Amino acid sequence: YRCLGRFQESVKTLEGARALFPHNRAVEVFLAMACHNLGQYERSAEILLRTLAETSADPSIQRYRRAILTYAPCLGDVWDQG
């Protein structure tokens, strides 16, 4: 659906796949792409960042895993400096 420009249907299908196959990380990545196509940029980035933090074996990613997972759902937030 996504490649055909049917983004809403793509998201609906991928959310169903996510429910059926919660450990399939490829579904997450395709869902992020479909969300991006719908202009859901923060949701898309959150899905990708969570997937990266939870699956990467890269030591530098793992070093910051907790921070990545903390910031992923609130990328638009600005933290109080006072």
Side-chain angles (χ1 to χ4, degrees):
Y1 289 133
R2 194 188 71 75
C3 292
L4 298 173
R6 296 164 61 183
F7 307 130
Q8 284 286 21
E9 291 171 88
S10 178
V11 167
K12 184 178 177 182
T13 300
L14 290 162
E15 286 174 340
R18 180 194 234 183
L20 291 172
F21 308 103
H23 301 292
N24 185 324
R25 301 318 285 241
V27 169
E28 295 285 310
V29 173
F30 283 102
L31 176 59
M33 289 189 280
C35 289
H36 177 83
N37 292 129
L38 286 174
Q40 298 173 359
Y41 305 119
E42 286 192 25
R43 182 178 181 205
S44 175
E46 177 183 354
I47 293 167
L48 290 174
L49 287 169
R50 189 173 15 85
T51 301
L52 175 68
E54 292 174 353
T55 63
S56 177
D58 184 283
S60 61
I61 297 295
Q62 286 308 303
R63 185 176 310 120
Y64 293 100
R65 181 181 193 272
R66 197 166 121 199
I68 293 167
L69 291 172
T70 298
Y71 298 135
C74 53
L75 289 173
D77 291 358
V78 176
W79 302 99
D80 183 10
Q81 297 178 14

